[in-house]
Amino acid sequence: MSLIWRHFRAYGKRRWGYAAFCVGISAAFNLYFLFFIQGGRTEYLLYLDVLVLCFFMLWGAVDFWRFAGEKKNLEKLLGQKGLICRIYHDFENQELAEHDVRILEEQLEEHFRENCELQDYVAKWCHEMKLPLSAGLLMGERISDYRLRNDMKEQLERMNQQVGSLLLGCRLQGTLFDLQVRKVSLKECVQMSIHNHQFFLIQKRFEMKVNVGDEMVYTDPAWLVYVLDQLISNAVKYAKTRPILSIWAERERAVIRIFVEDNGQGIQKSELPRVFEKGFTGENHHNGKHRSTGMGLYMAEKIMKKMGHEIGVESEYGKYSRFWIVFRENDYFGR
């Protein structure tokens, strides 16, 4: 019933001009008949009005039925995923619509090609930057001043992490998201991620609590390490005094979960639903305490979805943050 009423309202908006015109003509004729025709019989006028009214009611019903059918067909077409002008051929100026679609497709293709070229350039630049960064880290070890050597190494390690994240981000946004899913050791992935952050973990004197056994999961190890890097990096960034980083795994039937928990600053309850949003930085960024792009966790969730995993978070502000990744039974990747 609500659908018919919606169609009726749309029909009224479409035809109100015609209705007003017809009512105006009828009223003018009736006034002319009553005041300017001498001896005219009003019953004839009334009879004529009834006939005209019946005619317009019948015409209106037929027109409304046709309008409702077109509206229903239009709603069905709008639900299609293809271009309507390529599916529905019964409308005027179809050539103009197809011309505009071709122009837009050409523009999109040109922008897509330029974007791919830019991604290729950035990826090559990242590879080129890796070499001098590695050389700088080796050369920094020769500096005799411990404080200067440590400060220099910290900055170079940060640059190395950022370049690595940028390179993986280009791969993630590229035309082909190269997944190499296979059966891997969860413990080895955790150890590799900890190794990537060992300088900062040692520098901030983290107490490590790692309890990951021989669990095997089907995933892409490079991308999983990248996601773990984001979680550990956040733990380092928001660490407080006497920081603790806990990583453990749990198995429940065909599901394996890995948890990454820190006793850092935590996340505001109001911000928890938004931590995986693109560009979300939170209150800590806005008050100047920490610098963040808001892309790390967004990309982490995007990667997990592409691999069929789940990622989530819970936190109590000022006490802890706990992220988890869920690996379900997906051994079809290994067949």
Side-chain angles (χ1 to χ4, degrees), residues 22-206:
C22 292
V23 170
I25 294 295
S26 178
F29 177 78
N30 278 265
L31 291 173
Y32 176 80
F33 184 90
L34 292 173
F35 292 103
F36 294 99
I37 297 180
Q38 299 296 327
R41 300 180 63 176
T42 56
E43 58 267 23
Y44 290 162
L45 177 63
L46 182 62
Y47 179 69
L48 179 62
D49 287 342
V50 171
L51 288 177
V52 171
L53 180 63
C54 291
F55 170 78
F56 278 107
M57 287 181 64
L58 180 62
W59 176 84
V62 174
D63 189 52
F64 172 73
W65 186 264
R66 182 184 58 82
F67 174 83
E70 291 179 352
K71 196 72 175 177
K72 184 177 180 181
N73 188 37
L74 178 61
E75 291 177 355
K76 182 180 179 181
L77 288 171
L78 290 175
Q80 299 289 331
K81 294 187 177 181
L83 294 173
I84 296 178
C85 68
R86 305 271 173 85
I87 300 174
Y88 183 59
H89 302 285
D90 189 18
F91 66 95
E92 296 180 359
N93 299 324
Q94 183 180 359
E95 295 82 3
L96 295 178
E98 290 187 345
H99 169 269
D100 289 347
V101 168
R102 283 195 300 271
I103 295 297
L104 290 174
E105 285 177 343
E106 291 174 1
Q107 293 177 352
L108 286 174
E109 187 177 353
E110 179 64 24
H111 289 314
F112 178 75
R113 185 164 50 249
E114 291 176 356
N115 187 43
C116 290
E117 291 175 356
L118 178 60
Q119 288 179 355
D120 290 340
Y121 170 77
V122 173
K124 291 177 181 177
W125 180 87
C126 290
H127 283 295
E128 293 295 329
M129 283 296 295
K130 284 284 189 178
L131 293 174
L133 280 174
S134 300
L137 287 169
L138 292 174
M139 293 170 64
E141 297 297 330
R142 302 177 184 176
I143 299 176
S144 57
D145 188 329
Y146 171 78
R147 180 171 296 179
L148 178 61
R149 182 174 71 247
N150 199 53
D151 290 344
M152 182 177 177
K153 186 175 182 180
E154 178 181 356
Q155 300 306 318
L156 289 174
E157 287 286 356
R158 292 185 186 278
M159 291 173 63
N160 193 38
Q161 285 187 358
Q162 293 300 321
V163 170
S165 296
L166 181 59
L167 179 60
L168 287 172
C170 287
R171 289 173 55 196
L172 179 63
Q173 300 295 334
T175 54
L176 292 176
F177 180 68
D178 52 333
L179 278 177
Q180 298 179 8
V181 178
R182 64 179 189 272
K183 193 174 184 179
V184 298
S185 169
L186 193 55
K187 185 175 183 179
E188 291 180 1
C189 294
V190 171
Q191 290 174 343
M192 186 176 298
S193 183
I194 292 174
H195 176 76
N196 292 340
H197 293 81
Q198 63 179 349
F199 174 80
F200 299 103
L201 293 172
I202 295 173
Q203 183 192 50
K204 293 201 173 184
R205 302 179 183 277
F206 264 84

Side-chain angles (χ1 to χ4, degrees), residues 294-305:
M295 294 296 293
L297 292 178
Y298 162 74
M299 294 176 67
E301 185 189 39
K302 191 172 182 179
I303 291 168
M304 291 292 96
K305 284 184 177 179

